[in-house]
């Protein structure tokens, strides 16, 4: 068994980090006044700025709301060693006043944290604008780094500001954080297989969160075992919840819980073979899977397929609530979309489920409030077209007629499936599944063929409702067993979906045939 043992405590510098350091050095040499580092990884940003400062030969002064003005010790290896420059806590205005004078901070880098909270103050914005003008005119040699998880740029300083995204820790950095922690606490070595599992599980978490989880595992049993991966899963759920946009769904359903839809299930199994051996598939020449659009009749298993796909792929399932994206400020909705995509990509490989996507993008191309929706739709389409991360999108739609045609163009999704009302064989399987879940010992005595004959035009949800109602009635009447007649009685009291939505279903079915969407069921 190959064991993990790392001698160096330095975090591995990835190629991306090296590229970012080189880029920032060029920006400083070219006298870019303000560089906005948009990131949730403050510690990672500190390390990058620290390496940049050493390369360009500049000192670093930092301001944040809790500590005021501090100075970094760039002579040491650790960028987190800082000393307070002044007694008490200096305000951001006092720090920027010093900067405007151009003396104490000349030939230095000024790092501003928590600054976005002050961008509604005209004096602060004006001071930043004045500094930007002074740098561009050559009157002072200083570079301001604004480090923030919130991208808010006042219009007055837009032309002085360059925005760069610093993503979540990559594979090498995650491995470095884990290795450093194991060395510091002299924890027992682990296998390379478990290390790789940890790295994949930690994707999307910050260095601070990772170290907290490792400390929790260390306090629990003095090491890290496979069962400790549950700590990571719990923390990841917290991260997703705190985002307020995405929701992590617990995986309970599998393909075995779906009656029928064999074409769709077979297709998902093929994609699962790629996801479960992604690196080798890509080396072989297989394209990264994009996702699937599943459209069709309500209550026929579309959402169930999204959940089963995540379980089949053995990855987290994230649900994107498009309604939560909409914000009250200009640009807030687009920022929320970027945040959701960024988080999904950081957590990837994962399945991103967008339920009832036609409601999310209703009113595309209209005026007024629909302009925000149109921009969100454009951002989503661009991402779907260009994404390279293992984020598999499962979009479900009840009414294909309300979907913008651009969404169904080749290249957005790998495939579009139509889910119709279940046929005889599928209804029989659905009855088996739902009766077997609740009254398995009664299943052998029930005439499933008779039930199938009496449920023409029933959806999967209709059938589940019938089984649930019949079992409830049997319990209330204090009977000992569920019989065929009990279920037939429940069928008589149920109006099928084909009766309730006959015109809509006929219209949609013709449209699916005209567009030649792939049928999810075997004919």
């Amino acid at each position: 068994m190959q064991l993990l043992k790392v001698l160096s405590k330095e975090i591995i510098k990835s190629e991306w980090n090296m590229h970012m350091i080189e880029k920032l050095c060029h920006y400083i040499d070219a006298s870019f006044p303000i560089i906005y580092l948009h990131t949730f990884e403050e510690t990672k940003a500190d390390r990058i700025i620290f390496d940049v400062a050493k390369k360009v030969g500049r000192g670093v002064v930092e301001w944040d709301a809790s500590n005021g003005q501090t100075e970094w010790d760039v002579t040491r290896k650790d960028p987190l060693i800082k000393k307070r420059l002044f007694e008490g806590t200096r305000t951001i205005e006092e720090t920027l006043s010093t900067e405007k004078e151009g003396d104490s901070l000349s030939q230095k880098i000024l790092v501003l944290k928590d600054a976005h909270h002050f961008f509604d103050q005209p004096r602060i914005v004006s001071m930043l604008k004045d500094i930007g003008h002074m740098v561009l005119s050559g009157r002072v040699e200083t570079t301001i780094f604004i480090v923030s998880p919130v991208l808010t740029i006042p219009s007055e300083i837009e032309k002085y500001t360059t925005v760069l995204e610093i993503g979540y820790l990559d594979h090498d950095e995650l491995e470095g954080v884990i290795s450093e922690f194991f060395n510091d606490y002299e924890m027992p070595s682990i296998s390379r297989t478990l290390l790789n599992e940890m790295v994949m599980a930690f994707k999307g978490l910050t260095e601070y969160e990772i170290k907290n989880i490792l400390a929790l595992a260390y306090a629990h049993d003095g090491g890290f075992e496979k069962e400790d991966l549950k700590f990571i899963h719990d923390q990841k759920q917290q991260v997703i919840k705190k985002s307020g946009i995405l929701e992590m769904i617990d995986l309970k359903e599998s393909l075995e819980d779906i009656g029928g839809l064999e074409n769709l299930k077979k297709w998902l199994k093929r994609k699962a073979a790629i996801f479960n051996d992604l690196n080798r598939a890509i080396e072989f020449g297989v394209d990264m899977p994009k996702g699937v659009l599943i459209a069709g009749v309500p209550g026929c298993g579309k959402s169930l397929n999204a959940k089963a796909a995540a379980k089949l792929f053995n990855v987290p399932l994230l649900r994107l609530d498009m309604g939560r994206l909409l914000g009250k400020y200009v640009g807030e909705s687009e920022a929320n979309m970027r945040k959701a995509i960024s988080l999904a990509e950081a957590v990837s490989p994962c399945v991103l489920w967008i339920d009832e996507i036609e409601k999310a993008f209703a009113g595309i191309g209209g005026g007024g409030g629909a302009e925000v929706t149109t921009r969100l739709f454009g951002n989503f389409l661009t991402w779907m077209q260009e994404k390279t991360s293992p984020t598999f999108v499962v979009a479900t739609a009840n009414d294909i007629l309300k979907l913008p045609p651009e969404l169904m163009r080749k290249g957005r999704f790998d495939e579009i499936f139509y889910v119709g009302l279940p046929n005889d064989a599928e209804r029989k399987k659905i009855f088996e599944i739902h009766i077997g879940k609740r009254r398995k010992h009664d299943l052998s005595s029930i005439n499933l063929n008779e039930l199938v004959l009496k449920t023409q035009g029933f959806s999967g949800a209709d059938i589940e409702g019938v089984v649930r109602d019949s079992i409830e009635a049997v319990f209330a009447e204090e009977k000992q067993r569920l019989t065929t007649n009990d279920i037939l009685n429940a069928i008589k009291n149920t109006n099928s979906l084909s009766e309730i939505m006959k015109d809509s279903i006929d219209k949609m079915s013709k449209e699916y045939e005209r567009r030649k969407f792939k049928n999810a069921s075997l004919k």
Side-chain angles (χ1 to χ4, degrees), residues 136-401:
L136 287 178
S137 62
R139 288 156 55 196
V140 62
E141 291 188 51
T142 298
T143 305
I144 296 176
F145 279 84
I146 298 174
V147 180
S148 173
V150 180
L151 186 58
T152 305
I153 304 174
S155 56
E156 295 90 338
I157 63 170
E158 277 183 3
K159 67 177 181 178
Y160 301 107
T161 306
T162 302
V163 179
L164 293 174
E165 299 273 348
I166 295 182
Y168 292 90
L169 299 174
D170 62 22
H171 188 284
D172 288 343
E173 292 170 319
L174 287 168
E175 192 170 312
V177 171
I178 296 166
S179 303
E180 183 181 21
F181 189 93
F182 270 61
N183 277 357
D184 286 347
Y185 285 83
E186 298 181 352
M187 291 170 69
S189 297
I190 60 172
S191 68
R192 171 58 60 175
T193 301
L194 180 55
L195 174 63
N196 288 335
E197 285 188 61
M198 290 173 68
V199 168
M200 292 301 292
F202 274 130
K203 287 189 71 178
L205 299 181
T206 64
E207 183 177 339
Y208 174 76
E209 290 165 329
I210 292 167
K211 287 184 175 179
N212 273 350
I213 293 170
L214 290 172
L216 187 63
Y218 179 74
H220 181 248
D221 54 18
F224 197 98
E225 304 293 338
K226 192 174 179 68
E227 52 267 25
D228 291 327
L229 290 171
K230 69 178 184 295
F231 293 134
I232 306 177
H233 181 265
D234 292 343
Q235 182 61 38
K236 214 165 228 185
Q237 280 196 317
Q238 284 293 315
V239 172
I240 299 298
K241 281 179 184 176
K242 286 183 284 188
S243 74
I245 300 170
L246 295 175
E247 176 187 3
M248 185 176 280
I249 307 293
D250 288 332
L251 301 179
K252 299 174 184 175
E253 295 85 355
S254 65
L255 289 186
E256 286 69 37
D257 297 311
I258 302 172
L261 309 183
E262 296 302 324
N263 283 338
L264 176 54
K265 285 154 77 171
K266 182 180 178 182
W267 186 86
L268 286 173
K269 287 176 182 176
R270 195 177 78 192
K271 294 296 179 183
I274 297 169
F275 255 75
N276 292 332
D277 198 358
L278 199 54
N279 291 334
R280 196 167 70 87
I282 292 171
E283 287 174 9
F284 191 79
V286 178
D287 287 345
M288 181 72 71
K290 289 180 178 289
V292 61
L293 172 60
I294 308 173
V297 179
C300 288
K302 299 187 300 296
S303 300
L304 192 58
N305 265 285
K307 298 172 184 177
K311 190 157 191 177
L312 182 65
F313 293 1
N314 196 28
V315 297
L317 174 64
L318 307 181
R319 183 175 178 271
L320 174 60
D321 185 346
M322 300 296 284
R324 294 183 185 179
L325 292 178
L326 301 177
K328 59 183 179 179
Y329 299 113
V330 174
E332 187 178 356
S333 301
E334 293 89 331
N336 286 339
M337 172 67 90
R338 287 193 299 270
K339 179 182 177 183
I341 289 172
S342 174
L343 189 53
E345 290 194 329
V347 171
S348 67
C350 66
V351 170
L352 180 64
W353 172 29
I354 307 173
D355 197 19
E356 297 188 4
I357 194 171
E358 76 275 19
K359 292 182 180 177
F361 295 127
I364 296 297
E371 289 180 8
V372 175
T373 308
T374 303
R375 289 198 300 272
L376 287 178
F377 180 66
N379 290 343
F380 179 74
L381 283 189
T382 302
W383 175 67
M384 281 294 295
Q385 187 74 32
E386 299 177 357
K387 77 180 181 72
T388 56
S389 68
T391 308
F392 189 82
V393 177
V394 177
T396 58
N398 289 329
D399 190 351
I400 201 83
L401 301 175

Side-chain angles (χ1 to χ4, degrees), residues 452-471:
V452 168
L453 287 173
K454 298 294 184 181
T455 51
Q456 292 283 346
F458 277 56
S459 69
D462 290 336
I463 293 171
E464 183 181 8
V466 162
V467 173
R468 194 171 54 239
D469 289 346
S470 61
I471 293 173

Side-chain angles (χ1 to χ4, degrees), residues 431-432 435-436 439-451 474 480-488:
F431 270 116
E432 282 181 6
I435 296 172
R439 300 289 298 178
K440 189 174 183 179
H441 51 283
D442 293 336
L443 183 59
S444 59
S445 62
I446 291 173
N447 188 341
L448 295 175
N449 291 328
E450 189 174 355
L451 300 180
V474 166
Q480 299 303 310
R481 299 186 64 187
L482 176 70
T483 66
T484 304
N485 283 333
D486 294 319
I487 301 175
L488 288 173

Side-chain angles (χ1 to χ4, degrees), residues 73-92:
D73 188 346
V74 293
T75 63
R76 303 202 183 192
K77 286 187 176 181
D78 190 347
L80 304 181
I81 296 175
K82 305 166 187 179
K83 61 180 180 180
R84 182 166 289 178
L85 289 175
F86 300 93
E87 289 298 323
T89 303
R90 269 206 153 195
T91 65
I92 188 172

